[in-house]
Amino acid sequence: MAHPRQVLSRQQILGAVWGPHHQGRDAVDTYIRYLRRKLDPLGPPAIHTKRGYGYVFDPDREA
């Protein structure tokens, strides 16, 4: 959320949250799912998947 509208790869998110040597790519997907469950009821979807690359946080974009 510190980088709105900037597409971040799973590896970038993994390194920023768990450190550069963590190997659990599935952890990113799991926590993105948790965040979506919390944020989506508050309005339009704010986290979008960029297929083949990663995720983008864009709270102003419509689904």
Side-chain angles (χ1 to χ4, degrees):
M1 293 183 180
H3 303 281
R5 291 175 284 289
Q6 179 181 345
V7 180
L8 299 172
S9 70
R10 285 177 176 88
Q11 196 62 35
Q12 288 173 304
I13 296 169
L14 191 66
V17 176
W18 290 281
H21 303 294
H22 194 275
Q23 299 297 317
R25 285 181 53 123
D26 292 339
V28 174
D29 296 335
T30 300
Y31 280 94
I32 291 291
R33 187 170 48 249
Y34 292 157
L35 284 170
R36 284 179 170 157
R37 283 187 198 157
K38 290 182 179 198
L39 294 174
D40 287 356
L42 303 176
I47 300 173
H48 304 278
T49 302
K50 291 295 181 179
R51 197 172 193 124
Y53 189 73
Y55 299 98
V56 62
F57 174 69
D58 190 353
D60 300 323
R61 181 177 146 191
E62 293 294 321

Coordinates of all heavy atoms in Angstrom, one line a residue:
M1 N 0.8 -1.2 0.0 CA 0.0 0.0 0.0 C 0.9 1.3 0.0 O 0.4 2.3 -0.3 CB -0.9 0.0 1.2 CG -2.0 -1.1 1.1 SD -3.1 -1.0 2.5 CE -4.2 -2.3 2.1
A2 N 2.1 1.1 0.3 CA 3.0 2.2 0.3 C 3.3 2.7 -1.2 O 3.8 3.7 -1.4 CB 4.3 1.9 1.0
H3 N 3.0 1.8 -2.2 CA 3.3 2.1 -3.6 C 2.0 1.9 -4.4 O 1.9 1.0 -5.2 CB 4.3 1.2 -4.1 CG 5.6 1.2 -3.4 ND1 6.5 2.2 -3.6 CD2 6.1 0.4 -2.4 CE1 7.6 2.0 -2.8 NE2 7.3 1.0 -2.0
P4 N 1.0 2.8 -4.2 CA -0.3 2.7 -4.9 C -0.1 2.8 -6.4 O 0.8 3.5 -6.9 CB -1.1 3.8 -4.4 CG -0.2 4.8 -3.8 CD 1.0 4.0 -3.3
R5 N -0.8 2.0 -7.2 CA -0.8 2.0 -8.6 C 0.5 1.6 -9.2 O 0.7 1.7 -10.4 CB -1.3 3.3 -9.2 CG -2.8 3.6 -8.9 CD -3.2 4.9 -9.3 NE -2.9 6.0 -8.4 CZ -3.3 6.2 -7.2 NH1 -4.2 5.4 -6.7 NH2 -2.9 7.2 -6.4
Q6 N 1.4 1.0 -8.4 CA 2.7 0.4 -8.9 C 2.6 -1.1 -8.9 O 2.3 -1.6 -7.8 CB 3.8 0.9 -8.1 CG 5.2 0.4 -8.5 CD 6.3 0.8 -7.7 OE1 6.2 1.8 -6.9 NE2 7.4 0.2 -7.8
V7 N 2.8 -1.7 -10.0 CA 2.7 -3.2 -10.1 C 4.0 -3.7 -9.4 O 5.1 -3.4 -9.7 CB 2.6 -3.7 -11.5 CG1 2.6 -5.2 -11.5 CG2 1.4 -3.1 -12.2
L8 N 3.7 -4.7 -8.4 CA 4.8 -5.3 -7.7 C 4.8 -6.8 -8.0 O 3.7 -7.4 -7.9 CB 4.7 -5.0 -6.2 CG 4.8 -3.6 -5.8 CD1 4.5 -3.4 -4.3 CD2 6.2 -3.0 -6.2
S9 N 5.9 -7.4 -8.3 CA 6.0 -8.8 -8.5 C 5.8 -9.5 -7.1 O 6.1 -9.0 -6.1 CB 7.3 -9.2 -9.1 OG 8.4 -9.1 -8.2
R10 N 5.5 -10.8 -7.2 CA 5.5 -11.6 -5.9 C 6.8 -11.6 -5.2 O 6.9 -11.5 -4.0 CB 5.1 -13.0 -6.3 CG 3.6 -13.2 -6.6 CD 3.3 -14.7 -7.0 NE 1.9 -14.9 -7.2 CZ 1.3 -14.7 -8.4 NH1 2.1 -14.3 -9.4 NH2 0.1 -14.9 -8.6
Q11 N 7.9 -11.6 -6.0 CA 9.2 -11.7 -5.4 C 9.5 -10.3 -4.7 O 10.1 -10.3 -3.7 CB 10.3 -11.9 -6.5 CG 11.6 -12.4 -6.0 CD 11.5 -13.7 -5.2 OE1 10.8 -14.6 -5.5 NE2 12.3 -13.7 -4.2
Q12 N 9.1 -9.2 -5.3 CA 9.3 -7.9 -4.6 C 8.6 -7.8 -3.3 O 9.1 -7.4 -2.3 CB 8.9 -6.8 -5.6 CG 9.8 -6.5 -6.7 CD 9.2 -5.5 -7.7 OE1 8.1 -5.7 -8.2 NE2 9.9 -4.5 -7.9
I13 N 7.3 -8.3 -3.3 CA 6.5 -8.3 -2.1 C 7.1 -9.2 -1.1 O 7.3 -8.9 0.1 CB 5.0 -8.7 -2.4 CG1 4.4 -7.7 -3.3 CG2 4.3 -8.9 -1.1 CD1 3.1 -8.1 -3.9
L14 N 7.5 -10.4 -1.5 CA 8.1 -11.4 -0.6 C 9.4 -10.8 0.0 O 9.6 -10.9 1.2 CB 8.5 -12.7 -1.4 CG 8.9 -13.9 -0.7 CD1 7.7 -14.4 0.1 CD2 9.4 -15.0 -1.7
G15 N 10.2 -10.2 -0.7 CA 11.5 -9.6 -0.2 C 11.2 -8.5 0.8 O 11.9 -8.3 1.8
A16 N 10.2 -7.6 0.5 CA 9.9 -6.5 1.3 C 9.3 -6.9 2.6 O 9.5 -6.3 3.7 CB 9.0 -5.5 0.6
V17 N 8.5 -8.0 2.6 CA 7.8 -8.4 3.8 C 8.6 -9.4 4.6 O 8.7 -9.3 5.9 CB 6.4 -9.0 3.5 CG1 5.7 -9.5 4.7 CG2 5.6 -7.9 2.8
W18 N 9.1 -10.5 4.0 CA 9.7 -11.6 4.7 C 11.2 -11.6 4.5 O 11.9 -12.5 5.1 CB 9.1 -12.9 4.3 CG 7.7 -13.1 4.8 CD1 7.3 -13.4 6.0 CD2 6.5 -12.9 4.0 NE1 6.0 -13.5 6.1 CE2 5.4 -13.2 4.9 CE3 6.2 -12.6 2.7 CZ2 4.1 -13.1 4.5 CZ3 4.9 -12.5 2.3 CH2 3.9 -12.7 3.2
G19 N 11.8 -10.8 3.7 CA 13.2 -10.8 3.5 C 13.6 -11.4 2.2 O 12.9 -12.3 1.7
P20 N 14.8 -11.1 1.7 CA 15.2 -11.6 0.4 C 15.5 -13.1 0.3 O 15.5 -13.6 -0.8 CB 16.5 -10.8 0.1 CG 17.0 -10.4 1.4 CD 15.8 -10.2 2.3
H21 N 15.6 -13.8 1.4 CA 16.0 -15.2 1.4 C 14.8 -16.1 1.6 O 15.0 -17.3 1.6 CB 17.1 -15.5 2.4 CG 18.3 -14.6 2.1 ND1 19.1 -14.7 1.0 CD2 18.9 -13.6 2.8 CE1 20.1 -13.8 1.0 NE2 20.0 -13.1 2.1
H22 N 13.7 -15.6 1.8 CA 12.5 -16.4 2.0 C 12.0 -17.0 0.7 O 12.1 -16.4 -0.3 CB 11.3 -15.5 2.6 CG 10.2 -16.3 3.2 ND1 9.2 -16.8 2.4 CD2 10.0 -16.7 4.4 CE1 8.3 -17.5 3.2 NE2 8.8 -17.5 4.4
Q23 N 11.6 -18.3 0.8 CA 11.3 -19.0 -0.5 C 9.8 -19.3 -0.7 O 9.5 -19.9 -1.6 CB 12.1 -20.4 -0.4 CG 13.6 -20.3 -0.4 CD 14.1 -19.6 -1.6 OE1 13.7 -19.9 -2.7 NE2 15.0 -18.7 -1.4
G24 N 9.0 -18.9 0.2 CA 7.6 -19.2 0.2 C 6.7 -18.3 -0.7 O 6.0 -17.5 -0.2
R25 N 6.8 -18.5 -2.0 CA 6.0 -17.7 -2.9 C 4.5 -17.8 -2.6 O 3.7 -16.9 -2.9 CB 6.2 -18.1 -4.4 CG 7.5 -17.6 -4.9 CD 7.7 -18.0 -6.4 NE 6.6 -17.6 -7.2 CZ 6.6 -16.9 -8.2 NH1 7.8 -16.4 -8.6 NH2 5.6 -16.5 -8.9
D26 N 4.0 -19.0 -2.2 CA 2.6 -19.2 -1.9 C 2.2 -18.3 -0.7 O 1.0 -18.0 -0.6 CB 2.3 -20.6 -1.5 CG 2.5 -21.6 -2.7 OD1 2.4 -21.1 -3.9 OD2 2.7 -22.8 -2.5
A27 N 3.1 -17.9 0.1 CA 2.7 -17.0 1.2 C 2.2 -15.7 0.7 O 1.2 -15.1 1.3 CB 4.0 -16.8 2.1
V28 N 2.7 -15.2 -0.3 CA 2.3 -13.9 -0.9 C 0.8 -14.1 -1.3 O 0.0 -13.2 -1.0 CB 3.1 -13.4 -2.1 CG1 2.6 -12.2 -2.7 CG2 4.6 -13.1 -1.6
D29 N 0.5 -15.1 -2.1 CA -0.8 -15.3 -2.6 C -1.8 -15.5 -1.4 O -2.9 -15.0 -1.5 CB -0.9 -16.6 -3.5 CG -0.1 -16.4 -4.8 OD1 0.1 -15.2 -5.2 OD2 0.4 -17.4 -5.3
T30 N -1.4 -16.2 -0.4 CA -2.2 -16.4 0.8 C -2.6 -15.1 1.5 O -3.7 -14.8 1.8 CB -1.6 -17.4 1.8 OG1 -1.3 -18.6 1.1 CG2 -2.4 -17.6 3.0
Y31 N -1.6 -14.3 1.7 CA -1.8 -13.0 2.4 C -2.5 -12.0 1.5 O -3.3 -11.2 2.0 CB -0.5 -12.4 3.0 CG -0.2 -13.2 4.3 CD1 0.6 -14.3 4.3 CD2 -0.8 -12.8 5.5 CE1 0.9 -14.9 5.5 CE2 -0.5 -13.4 6.6 CZ 0.3 -14.5 6.6 OH 0.6 -15.2 7.8
I32 N -2.4 -12.0 0.2 CA -3.2 -11.2 -0.7 C -4.6 -11.6 -0.6 O -5.5 -10.7 -0.5 CB -2.7 -11.3 -2.1 CG1 -1.3 -10.7 -2.3 CG2 -3.7 -10.7 -3.1 CD1 -1.3 -9.2 -2.2
R33 N -4.9 -12.9 -0.5 CA -6.3 -13.3 -0.3 C -6.9 -12.8 1.0 O -8.0 -12.4 1.1 CB -6.3 -14.9 -0.4 CG -7.7 -15.5 -0.4 CD -7.7 -16.9 -0.7 NE -6.8 -17.8 0.0 CZ -5.7 -18.4 -0.5 NH1 -5.5 -18.3 -1.8 NH2 -5.0 -19.1 0.3
Y34 N -6.1 -12.9 2.1 CA -6.5 -12.4 3.4 C -6.9 -10.9 3.3 O -7.9 -10.4 3.8 CB -5.5 -12.6 4.5 CG -5.2 -14.0 4.9 CD1 -4.0 -14.4 5.5 CD2 -6.2 -15.1 4.7 CE1 -3.8 -15.7 5.8 CE2 -5.9 -16.4 5.0 CZ -4.7 -16.7 5.6 OH -4.4 -18.0 6.0
L35 N -6.0 -10.1 2.7 CA -6.2 -8.7 2.5 C -7.4 -8.4 1.7 O -8.2 -7.5 2.0 CB -5.0 -8.0 1.9 CG -3.8 -7.9 2.7 CD1 -2.6 -7.4 1.9 CD2 -4.0 -6.8 3.8
R36 N -7.6 -9.1 0.6 CA -8.8 -8.9 -0.2 C -10.1 -9.2 0.6 O -11.1 -8.4 0.5 CB -8.8 -9.8 -1.4 CG -7.9 -9.3 -2.5 CD -7.9 -10.3 -3.7 NE -7.1 -9.7 -4.8 CZ -6.6 -10.3 -5.7 NH1 -6.7 -11.7 -5.8 NH2 -5.9 -9.7 -6.7
R37 N -10.1 -10.2 1.4 CA -11.3 -10.5 2.3 C -11.6 -9.4 3.2 O -12.8 -9.1 3.5 CB -11.1 -11.8 3.1 CG -11.2 -13.0 2.3 CD -11.1 -14.2 3.2 NE -10.9 -15.4 2.4 CZ -10.3 -16.5 2.9 NH1 -10.0 -16.6 4.2 NH2 -10.1 -17.6 2.2
K38 N -10.6 -8.7 3.7 CA -10.8 -7.6 4.6 C -11.1 -6.3 3.9 O -12.0 -5.5 4.4 CB -9.5 -7.4 5.5 CG -9.3 -8.5 6.5 CD -8.1 -8.2 7.3 CE -8.0 -9.3 8.3 NZ -7.1 -9.0 9.4
L39 N -10.5 -6.0 2.7 CA -10.7 -4.8 2.1 C -12.0 -4.7 1.1 O -12.6 -3.7 1.0 CB -9.5 -4.4 1.2 CG -8.2 -4.1 2.0 CD1 -7.1 -3.9 1.1 CD2 -8.4 -2.9 2.9
D40 N -12.2 -5.8 0.4 CA -13.3 -5.8 -0.6 C -14.7 -5.4 0.0 O -15.4 -4.7 -0.7 CB -13.4 -7.1 -1.3 CG -12.2 -7.3 -2.3 OD1 -11.4 -6.3 -2.4 OD2 -12.1 -8.4 -2.9
P41 N -15.1 -5.9 1.2 CA -16.4 -5.4 1.7 C -16.5 -3.9 2.0 O -17.6 -3.4 2.1 CB -16.5 -6.2 3.1 CG -15.6 -7.4 2.9 CD -14.5 -6.9 2.1
L42 N -15.4 -3.2 2.0 CA -15.4 -1.8 2.3 C -15.7 -1.0 1.0 O -15.9 0.2 1.1 CB -14.1 -1.4 2.9 CG -13.7 -2.1 4.2 CD1 -12.3 -1.7 4.6 CD2 -14.7 -1.8 5.3
G43 N -15.6 -1.6 -0.2 CA -15.8 -0.8 -1.4 C -15.4 -1.6 -2.6 O -15.2 -2.8 -2.5
P44 N -15.1 -1.0 -3.7 CA -14.6 -1.7 -4.9 C -13.3 -2.4 -4.6 O -12.5 -1.9 -3.7 CB -14.4 -0.6 -5.9 CG -14.9 0.7 -5.4 CD -15.2 0.5 -3.9
P45 N -13.0 -3.5 -5.3 CA -11.7 -4.2 -5.1 C -10.5 -3.3 -5.2 O -10.5 -2.5 -6.2 CB -11.7 -5.3 -6.2 CG -13.2 -5.4 -6.5 CD -13.8 -4.1 -6.3
A46 N -9.6 -3.3 -4.3 CA -8.5 -2.4 -4.3 C -7.2 -3.1 -4.7 O -6.2 -2.5 -5.2 CB -8.3 -1.8 -2.9
I47 N -7.1 -4.4 -4.6 CA -5.9 -5.2 -5.0 C -6.3 -6.0 -6.3 O -7.2 -6.7 -6.3 CB -5.5 -6.1 -3.9 CG1 -5.2 -5.3 -2.6 CG2 -4.3 -6.9 -4.4 CD1 -4.9 -6.2 -1.4
H48 N -5.5 -5.7 -7.3 CA -5.8 -6.4 -8.6 C -4.6 -7.2 -9.0 O -3.4 -6.9 -8.8 CB -6.0 -5.3 -9.7 CG -7.1 -4.4 -9.3 ND1 -8.4 -4.6 -9.5 CD2 -7.0 -3.1 -8.7 CE1 -9.1 -3.6 -9.0 NE2 -8.3 -2.7 -8.5
T49 N -4.9 -8.4 -9.6 CA -3.8 -9.3 -10.1 C -3.4 -8.8 -11.5 O -4.2 -8.6 -12.4 CB -4.4 -10.7 -10.2 OG1 -4.8 -11.1 -8.9 CG2 -3.3 -11.7 -10.7
K50 N -2.1 -8.7 -11.7 CA -1.5 -8.5 -13.0 C -1.0 -9.9 -13.5 O 0.1 -10.3 -13.1 CB -0.4 -7.4 -13.0 CG -0.9 -6.1 -12.8 CD -1.8 -5.6 -13.9 CE -2.3 -4.2 -13.6 NZ -3.2 -3.8 -14.7
R51 N -1.8 -10.5 -14.3 CA -1.5 -11.9 -14.7 C 0.0 -12.0 -15.2 O 0.4 -11.3 -16.0 CB -2.5 -12.4 -15.7 CG -2.5 -13.8 -15.9 CD -3.6 -14.2 -16.8 NE -3.8 -15.6 -16.7 CZ -4.9 -16.2 -16.3 NH1 -5.9 -15.6 -16.1 NH2 -4.9 -17.5 -16.2
G52 N 0.7 -13.0 -14.6 CA 2.0 -13.3 -15.1 C 3.1 -12.4 -14.4 O 4.3 -12.5 -14.7
Y53 N 2.7 -11.4 -13.6 CA 3.7 -10.6 -13.0 C 3.5 -10.4 -11.5 O 4.4 -10.7 -10.7 CB 3.7 -9.2 -13.6 CG 4.8 -8.4 -13.1 CD1 6.1 -8.6 -13.6 CD2 4.6 -7.4 -12.2 CE1 7.2 -7.9 -13.1 CE2 5.7 -6.6 -11.8 CZ 7.0 -6.9 -12.2 OH 8.0 -6.2 -11.7
G54 N 2.3 -10.0 -11.0 CA 2.1 -9.8 -9.6 C 0.8 -9.1 -9.3 O -0.2 -9.4 -9.8
Y55 N 0.9 -8.0 -8.4 CA -0.3 -7.4 -7.9 C -0.1 -5.9 -7.9 O 1.0 -5.4 -7.9 CB -0.5 -7.8 -6.5 CG -0.8 -9.3 -6.3 CD1 0.2 -10.1 -5.9 CD2 -2.0 -9.8 -6.6 CE1 0.0 -11.5 -5.8 CE2 -2.3 -11.2 -6.5 CZ -1.3 -12.0 -6.0 OH -1.5 -13.3 -5.9
V56 N -1.2 -5.2 -8.0 CA -1.2 -3.7 -7.9 C -2.3 -3.3 -7.0 O -3.4 -3.8 -6.9 CB -1.4 -3.1 -9.3 CG1 -2.7 -3.4 -9.9 CG2 -1.2 -1.6 -9.2
F57 N -2.0 -2.3 -6.1 CA -3.0 -1.8 -5.2 C -3.4 -0.5 -5.8 O -2.7 0.5 -6.0 CB -2.3 -1.5 -3.8 CG -3.2 -0.8 -2.8 CD1 -4.3 -1.4 -2.3 CD2 -3.0 0.6 -2.5 CE1 -5.2 -0.7 -1.4 CE2 -3.8 1.2 -1.6 CZ -4.9 0.6 -1.1
D58 N -4.7 -0.4 -6.1 CA -5.3 0.8 -6.8 C -6.7 0.9 -6.2 O -7.7 0.4 -6.8 CB -5.3 0.6 -8.3 CG -5.7 1.9 -9.0 OD1 -6.1 2.9 -8.3 OD2 -5.6 1.9 -10.2
P59 N -6.8 1.7 -5.1 CA -8.1 1.8 -4.5 C -9.1 2.6 -5.3 O -10.3 2.5 -5.0 CB -7.8 2.5 -3.1 CG -6.5 3.2 -3.4 CD -5.8 2.4 -4.4
D60 N -8.7 3.4 -6.3 CA -9.6 4.2 -7.0 C -10.1 3.5 -8.3 O -11.1 4.0 -8.9 CB -8.8 5.5 -7.5 CG -8.3 6.3 -6.3 OD1 -9.0 6.3 -5.2 OD2 -7.2 6.8 -6.4
R61 N -9.6 2.4 -8.6 CA -10.0 1.7 -9.9 C -11.2 0.9 -9.6 O -11.4 0.2 -8.6 CB -8.8 0.8 -10.3 CG -9.2 0.1 -11.6 CD -7.9 -0.7 -12.0 NE -8.4 -2.0 -12.6 CZ -7.6 -3.0 -12.9 NH1 -6.4 -2.9 -12.6 NH2 -8.1 -4.0 -13.5
E62 N -12.1 0.9 -10.5 CA -13.3 0.0 -10.5 C -13.0 -1.3 -11.0 O -12.1 -1.5 -11.7 CB -14.5 0.6 -11.3 CG -15.0 2.0 -10.8 CD -15.7 1.8 -9.4 OE1 -16.4 0.9 -9.2 OE2 -15.5 2.7 -8.6
A63 N -13.7 -2.3 -10.5 CA -13.5 -3.7 -10.9 C -13.6 -4.0 -12.4 O -14.3 -3.3 -13.1 CB -14.4 -4.7 -10.1

